[in-house]
Amino acid sequence: MIRRNYESMPTALWNEHDARDHLTKTFDLACKSWPDVMEPYVVQLADAGDDQIVEIMRNALRSTINDRFAS
């Protein structure tokens, strides 16, 4: 169960549901902000099973950080 205001807590205290909610929100924001950069990962998610979703989103955010925040 996702807890209210979990984001104000230290991340070490988040449960699995809190962490997945945060990851999903972060991934969705990245997709809206940089659709061209994130598109390959959105395509991967379309074909992914439940056991692959978290890893794809984590990999997407990690792999595209330089493209999303290039100076």
Side-chain angles (χ1 to χ4, degrees), residues 5-60:
N5 300 321
Y6 71 87
E7 291 175 323
S8 64
M9 299 168 49
T11 56
L13 299 177
W14 291 4
N15 65 34
E16 179 182 343
H17 302 285
D18 300 335
R20 186 172 179 143
D21 182 65
H22 179 74
L23 175 64
T24 301
K25 288 177 182 176
T26 303
F27 181 83
D28 290 346
L29 179 60
C31 290
K32 289 175 186 169
S33 300
W34 300 277
D36 54 329
V37 172
M38 300 301 290
E39 184 202 6
Y41 300 97
V42 172
V43 171
Q44 287 180 30
L45 282 176
D47 295 328
D50 280 346
D51 59 330
Q52 299 171 310
I53 291 174
V54 169
E55 186 56 35
I56 291 170
M57 288 192 291
R58 289 177 70 215
N59 184 46

